[in-house]
Amino acid sequence: MAYGKVTDRELESIRGIVGSERMSMGESILDLHGKDESFHRKRRPEVVIWPLHAQEIGEILKIANERRIPVTPWGAGTSLEGNPIPVEGGIVLDLQRMNHILSLMEEDLQVCVEAGVIYKELNQYLSRYGLFFPPDPGAAATIGGMVGNNASGIRTIKYGATKDFVLNMTIVLPSGEIVRAGSNAIKSSSGYDLCRLFVGSEGTLGVITEITLRLVGLPAEFMAAVVQFNSIREATDAVSQIMRSGLRPAALEFLDIPTVQVVNRYKNLSLEETPTLFIEFHGISGEGLKEDLEWVKEICAEHRYLRFDSGIGREQRNRLWEARYEVHDSIKVNHPGLSPLVIDTAVPISKYPDIVDWGQKVLKKRGLKGYAFGHAGSGNLHMEIMGIPEEEAQWQKVLEAGEEIVSFALECGGTATGEHGIGIGKRKFMKREHGDSLKLMKQIKDLLDPNGIMNPGKIFE
Ligand SMILES: Cc1cc2nc3c(=O)[nH]c(=O)nc-3n(C[C@H](O)[C@H](O)[C@H](O)COP(=O)(O)OP(=O)(O)OC[C@H]3O[C@@H](n4cnc5c(N)ncnc54)[C@H](O)[C@@H]3O)c2cc1C
């Protein structure tokens, strides 16, 4: 489909809507909005706009829709799959100035925010009221971007992903129409669940401007453990047993040996360089958590742990978990000039040991350098396979390794992406993962966005 360009005529109309200070065609601004945190090729938009209201977005979308100009919503650009890269140019709508917390409904455990609010700042604000929003992708993501990708992170096993927290939202459709989906009830059987349709839609169906989120109470007490094993199999078998035991960890993370090594170096730590689990529990008292701790220790002992370091309380938790954060940065710093292909498969928990094992075999067979870690408790395996995207033959090997790992995950009944979204990089797996229902997804896209202006080149090939 041929797209229209942003000409002087459109720029004049846009200026009339937002004024010249909230739009830019400056080189550095276009560059900043032409890339995310992935290896995918940069592509500059033609203009970046910072709207303040749904009405402004509606007027801009009307113009874009009439003239078939691509529009890509932008949160903080921290995606790992090229999700916000405007591959067809056009307009980027940067939502970062729509960053107000609109209302806190403390007694209902709900908050209504504009899409550009950074979730870490939201949690800082909520902590004053003893509340929090649990999905935690680590990077400085916006709520709109988290809804766009259905982000989750380390606490999904206990609390759920972003989709589990969205109660209602305001959306500007490609036609410019503003609609509201959902309600303030925490349960509802009322018709199609349109909120869930927009969660994970990666900006391909419309622009989300306001979101009401369900919240939970801040945990009163924390318990954490770092458990080190002789082999990957023992560590991952322990994961699957902990999850089957009825225990409810708030986080259960796995790091393989190269990942522990790289984190040790980057953060100047002295962890044993063996396969490692990071475990966290939330509870109402230290006493209750002690029982959980004993139980976890017993399970890990059955899998012959090498070292078991644990503690109760927030400070102990922070001490023990120091190594888990910044894994991505540790790897990046350790490989100047190289980029990672980021694997984000998720499988049923019983298959977790198999997918980790398979990933290691694929790397070995192809002689590639890679790191395996992830949100093991929710069956989510990340691997970062290192290479140079510009060196075609070598990068092809990296891509083939990625395909082999994702294919195995799909055979296990899993998914190509547990939390990063499809973006550009995972489109090739859509048919295999969804079969005939992919056609239904395309029909929904065509119904809502018949001119294909919203974030083209994503999700579908
Ligand atoms: C170091 C690092 C670690 C990470 N760890 C995790 C992790 O553990 N778990 C995890 O889930 N993710 C993780 N991520 C990925 C990333 O942070 C998330 O995908 C996050 O949700 C992206 O948010 P963002 O605000 O940067 O959105 P962007 O990257 O700007 O956009 C994301 C997508 O949503 C669309 N979008 C943005 N705003 C809107 C809107 N208002 N309306 C409609 N569509 C919109 C965009 O077009 C794009 O398709 C990590 C990233 C980094 C760099």
Side-chain angles (χ1 to χ4, degrees):
M1 180 185 305
Y3 285 104
K5 292 273 167 216
V6 182
T7 66
D8 287 345
R9 188 166 65 128
E10 282 80 37
L11 289 174
E12 199 44 48
S13 311
I14 294 168
R15 206 167 284 120
I17 300 166
V18 297
S20 35
E21 63 294 344
R22 284 195 283 116
M23 58 191 283
S24 174
M25 286 171 298
E27 301 277 308
S28 60
I29 296 290
L30 297 184
D31 273 350
L32 265 177
H33 293 83
K35 61 181 167 58
D36 63 357
E37 293 284 333
S38 71
F39 69 88
H40 292 290
R41 191 173 301 139
K42 295 174 194 163
R43 172 66 155 93
R44 285 166 155 203
E46 289 153 71
V47 60
V48 176
I49 303 168
W50 290 270
L52 293 181
H53 309 288
Q55 286 73 13
E56 285 181 354
I57 295 175
E59 287 178 48
I60 294 163
L61 286 184
K62 266 185 207 152
I63 297 169
N65 205 25
E66 251 172 43
R67 303 179 198 161
R68 270 202 174 159
I69 295 170
V71 177
T72 304
W74 186 273
T78 67
S79 287
L80 295 168
E81 276 300 348
N83 324 52
I85 298 178
V87 292
E88 297 287 349
I91 297 168
V92 159
L93 287 177
D94 184 332
L95 278 286
Q96 287 201 40
R97 293 196 198 173
M98 292 180 64
N99 61 355
H100 298 99
I101 297 172
L102 297 173
S103 59
L104 175 66
M105 292 143 272
E106 201 180 343
E107 289 186 0
D108 292 324
L109 290 90
Q110 294 180 20
V111 69
C112 180
V113 298
E114 287 186 314
V117 168
I118 305 282
Y119 82 97
K120 289 183 182 184
E121 289 171 11
L122 174 64
N123 274 335
Q124 247 167 20
Y125 164 82
L126 293 172
S127 66
R128 285 185 247 150
Y129 301 91
L131 297 168
F132 90 121
F133 168 64
D136 176 7
T142 62
I143 299 292
M146 289 178 69
V147 173
N149 286 349
N150 187 21
S152 46
I154 62 170
R155 301 203 191 91
T156 318
I157 32 167
K158 184 174 171 90
Y159 298 102
T162 300
K163 72 175 164 57
D164 301 304
F165 290 87
V166 177
L167 290 173
N168 63 66
M169 57 168 83
T170 303
I171 309 135
V172 189
L173 297 176
S175 60
E177 193 187 343
I178 301 171
V179 295
R180 194 158 180 80
S183 73
N184 286 74
I186 59 160
K187 57 186 284 191
S188 169
S189 306
S190 181
Y192 301 136
D193 191 344
L194 293 183
C195 272
R196 295 300 167 288
L197 176 62
F198 284 88
V199 178
S201 63
E202 301 184 27
T204 61
L205 298 179
V207 183
I208 299 156
T209 56
E210 271 179 42
I211 305 127
T212 299
L213 299 166
R214 192 171 67 75
L215 305 170
V216 300
L218 270 176
E221 195 53 283
F222 294 80
M223 185 275 278
V226 175
V227 196
Q228 305 208 269
F229 293 84
N230 288 298
S231 71
I232 288 188
R233 195 78 206 188
E234 283 163 329
T236 53
D237 280 345
V239 168
S240 125
Q241 202 180 328
I242 291 169
M243 294 312 294
R244 287 198 310 266
S245 69
L247 283 164
R248 288 207 61 207
L252 177 40
E253 300 282 303
F254 163 75
L255 266 62
D256 74 351
I257 297 175
T259 311
V260 176
Q261 287 170 335
V262 95
V263 170
N264 262 348
R265 205 166 315 152
Y266 181 65
K267 302 201 78 176
N268 205 13
L269 299 172
S270 51
L271 280 173
E272 295 278 345
E273 296 185 342
T274 69
T276 301
L277 298 183
F278 290 78
I279 310 173
E280 179 174 321
F281 280 83
H282 296 168
I284 46 172
S285 74
E287 280 311 303
L289 290 175
K290 265 186 206 154
E291 274 181 41
D292 290 344
L293 182 64
E294 286 312 308
W295 199 352
V296 168
K297 196 166 183 180
E298 228 171 85
I299 293 173
C300 292
E302 279 177 40
H303 298 279
R304 303 189 312 123
Y305 70 76
L306 206 60
R307 198 169 147 180
F308 192 100
D309 191 1
S310 64
I312 291 185
R314 192 184 276 272
E315 272 174 28
Q316 288 293 327
R317 184 256 176 221
N318 293 346
R319 172 185 70 83
L320 288 158
W321 271 71
E322 198 190 349
R324 173 58 188 93
Y325 290 109
E326 298 174 61
V327 164
H328 183 71
D329 285 347
S330 308
I331 295 171
K332 207 156 110 180
V333 166
N334 204 50
H335 293 283
L338 299 190
S339 296
L341 175 76
V342 180
I343 306 288
D344 173 40
T345 57
V347 293
I349 196 67
S350 67
K351 303 289 184 197
Y352 199 71
D354 298 336
I355 183 77
V356 176
D357 203 37
W358 181 261
Q360 301 285 325
K361 282 186 183 138
V362 168
L363 290 186
K364 197 165 170 204
K365 182 177 81 182
R366 294 179 179 272
L368 292 165
K369 179 80 190 159
Y371 299 85
F373 54 96
H375 314 307
S378 41
N380 193 185
L381 174 69
H382 292 317
M383 289 183 75
E384 297 205 0
I385 310 176
M386 309 310 295
I388 302 174
E390 293 75 27
E391 286 183 11
E392 229 172 85
Q394 193 267 351
W395 190 249
Q396 188 53 31
K397 261 171 64 177
V398 171
L399 291 176
E400 281 166 12
E403 285 216 38
E404 242 185 291
I405 297 164
V406 175
S407 299
F408 184 76
L410 296 180
E411 278 165 32
C412 294
T415 173
T417 169
E419 55 183 22
H420 298 163
I422 296 296
I424 299 168
K426 302 285 189 282
R427 293 176 303 170
K428 60 188 169 199
F429 303 114
M430 286 293 279
K431 178 71 189 156
R432 241 185 297 164
E433 182 167 338
H434 297 284
D436 289 343
S437 62
L438 179 60
K439 198 168 130 203
L440 193 56
M441 285 194 208
K442 280 193 178 137
Q443 285 169 342
I444 292 170
K445 164 78 176 165
D446 291 343
L447 177 73
L448 292 176
D449 183 19
N451 292 329
I453 61 162
M454 292 307 306
N455 202 4
K458 311 301 159 55
I459 301 186
F460 306 106
E461 276 189 309

